[in-house]
Amino acid sequence: MLDYLIVGSGLAGISFAETALKNNKTILVLDNKSQNSSRVAGGLYNPVILKRFSEVWKAQEQLVLMNEFYDQVEDKLKEKFNFKMPVLRKFFSIEEQNNWFAASDKINLAPFLSTKLITKKYNSIDSPFDYGEVLHTGYVKTALLLDSYREYLLENNLLLEDSFHSSFLEILDSGIQYKNIKARHIIFAEGFGMHKNPYFSYLPLDGTKGELFIIKAPKLNIDVIVNTSVFILPLGGNLFKVGATYNWQDKTDTPTEEGKQELLERIKEIITCDFEIVKHFGGVRPTVSDRRPLLGTHEVYKSLHILNGLGTRGVMLGPAMAKALYDHIENNIPIDREADIKRFHKRYLKSIISDRP
């Protein structure tokens, strides 16, 4: 009998897989590549919500665990995934500058917001009001990370490339059985695919579609991530990742003309040089209305668990939430109330009543 069957190999799934392996647990990952939000994500990590100049939930704790996690995975896979890079918030007015300095005086934000204006001028970006620098930022090459980790799982016979079908899941006294696989626990890290999971479909996962570009701009010469209404991330070779849009109605991964035009308009507000679109892609982020992850154990079936709802911050949240869920299962450590799915207990009860004949 395995310790864990893990459904999904996005950022949530591999974070839990690596956490379990680090603790000498036996695992098998089941995945069919149907969910691509982790793969196409911007991959940025940033401890500050720049739209409101507020701290990301538990940012300090997440950053520590995130860096430990990626250091460990890089050493294990002999590949570089985590790249430290400053995030510069371009100011559009003196008022924005003042708001920045007011925020930097707050105890929780002081470690993350530099009080020194960045006055450097970058080619093809007008910045009469300069920039503010966010500290402890960077990006993870998510596609490379997921592909490399998937290869590692395959090489070690830890990955089953197949779709999950709930009709084959049996709940046992000692755990679960799925087809010919027995495990003490099953972890559902399915992203937006959770809606097809009858055990957790009552949870309010509201996918948010995001569209991004890879552009080529030879005259744009930046060595930082510029963040305004969109982010511009240098990839090298005159290529830049730009994003992202937010669409709460469309739940497909298909790039749209509407998303394309929105990104084009925002890019042209920031840079003045010509550019060409090299790639246009989209994905549905697993988001929750209260902006907190979905973490915990099923109300009735104690061998069923969920790790989901990482939203736009999967790179930062994944390692910390995987550890929290693992510690809850193995050591009975309570999950933070803001992340625990127990906060939706009433929705669960309502779903039971509605399922009765």
Side-chain angles (χ1 to χ4, degrees), residues 335-352:
I335 295 170
D336 189 291
R337 290 176 59 186
E338 291 188 72
D340 197 324
I341 58 171
K342 287 179 181 177
R343 68 191 191 273
F344 298 114
H345 178 70
K346 290 181 180 178
R347 292 180 67 106
Y348 174 72
L349 294 177
K350 186 176 180 180
S351 73
I352 294 176

Side-chain angles (χ1 to χ4, degrees), residues 82-351:
N82 183 12
F83 296 85
K84 312 289 185 181
M85 184 175 286
V87 168
L88 300 189
R89 168 64 154 83
K90 178 184 169 182
F91 297 131
F92 288 88
S93 66
I94 295 296
E95 183 183 7
E96 282 194 339
Q97 283 186 5
N98 292 337
N99 291 340
W100 176 276
F101 288 119
S104 68
D105 280 339
K106 296 178 181 177
I107 294 175
N108 60 329
L109 288 173
F112 306 128
L113 299 180
S114 171
T115 55
K116 182 180 178 181
L117 287 178
I118 303 298
T119 59
K120 182 176 178 178
K121 301 303 178 185
Y122 292 97
N123 293 345
S124 304
I125 300 181
D126 290 330
S127 54
F129 299 101
D130 302 322
Y131 305 88
E133 180 180 357
V134 189
L135 307 175
H136 309 294
T137 58
Y139 72 98
V140 171
K141 289 187 175 180
T142 55
L144 178 62
L145 168 65
L146 297 178
D147 287 341
S148 300
Y149 204 88
R150 191 181 186 89
E151 185 178 336
Y152 161 78
L153 292 172
L154 282 169
E155 289 175 353
N156 290 276
N157 297 314
L158 299 176
L159 177 66
L160 178 61
E161 297 184 289
D162 197 6
S163 301
F164 176 81
H165 298 282
S166 60
S167 58
F168 292 112
L169 182 64
E170 297 179 60
I171 311 297
L172 311 175
D173 290 339
S174 57
I176 61 97
Q177 178 159 347
Y178 180 75
K179 297 183 179 179
N180 64 337
I181 303 163
K182 286 186 177 181
R184 290 195 304 121
H185 302 279
I186 183 168
I187 307 296
F188 291 106
E190 306 157 291
F192 192 62
M194 187 203 78
H195 286 286
K196 296 179 182 179
N197 185 327
Y199 297 100
F200 292 103
S201 58
Y202 70 92
L203 293 169
L205 189 72
D206 183 21
T208 307
K209 181 173 182 174
E211 297 185 49
L212 301 94
F213 286 160
I214 301 293
I215 65 169
K216 187 170 186 177
K219 293 183 180 180
L220 182 60
N221 183 25
I222 58 174
D223 54 359
V224 296
I225 301 165
V226 175
N227 187 300
T228 57
S229 57
V230 291
F231 67 81
I232 303 177
L233 167 64
L235 300 175
N238 297 321
L239 296 176
F240 303 85
K241 182 179 282 190
V242 182
T245 62
Y246 290 82
N247 186 319
W248 288 269
Q249 281 73 47
D250 186 356
K251 309 300 182 184
T252 71
D253 294 334
T254 307
T256 65
E257 184 62 28
E258 179 185 6
K260 178 181 178 180
Q261 292 305 317
E262 181 179 342
L263 280 176
L264 284 172
E265 289 176 11
R266 292 187 182 184
I267 294 170
K268 290 175 181 177
E269 290 175 353
I270 305 166
I271 65 175
T272 58
C273 61
D274 293 333
F275 61 89
E276 63 174 299
I277 301 170
V278 176
K279 188 175 182 181
H280 178 195
F281 46 94
V284 181
R285 313 173 185 92
T287 55
V288 185
S289 59
D290 64 4
R291 294 189 173 91
R292 295 293 180 265
L294 298 173
L295 212 64
T297 299
H298 193 274
E299 297 261 3
V300 175
Y301 306 115
K302 300 308 178 184
S303 55
L304 275 58
H305 316 274
I306 188 167
L307 176 54
N308 209 320
L310 303 186
T312 62
R313 302 187 183 276
V315 162
M316 271 181 68
L317 272 173
M321 295 303 100
K323 182 180 185 301
L325 181 59
Y326 179 86
D327 287 343
H328 172 67
I329 297 168
E330 296 292 340
N331 304 313
N332 203 30
I333 297 174
I335 295 170
D336 189 291
R337 290 176 59 186
E338 291 188 72
D340 197 324
I341 58 171
K342 287 179 181 177
R343 68 191 191 273
F344 298 114
H345 178 70
K346 290 181 180 178
R347 292 180 67 106
Y348 174 72
L349 294 177
K350 186 176 180 180
S351 73

Side-chain angles (χ1 to χ4, degrees), residues 21-39:
L21 289 172
K22 184 175 67 174
N23 286 278
N24 300 312
K25 301 299 182 182
T26 55
I27 70 164
L28 181 67
V29 178
L30 178 68
D31 187 72
N32 65 353
K33 283 189 173 181
S34 64
Q35 302 301 314
N36 74 335
S37 64
S38 291
R39 184 171 299 278

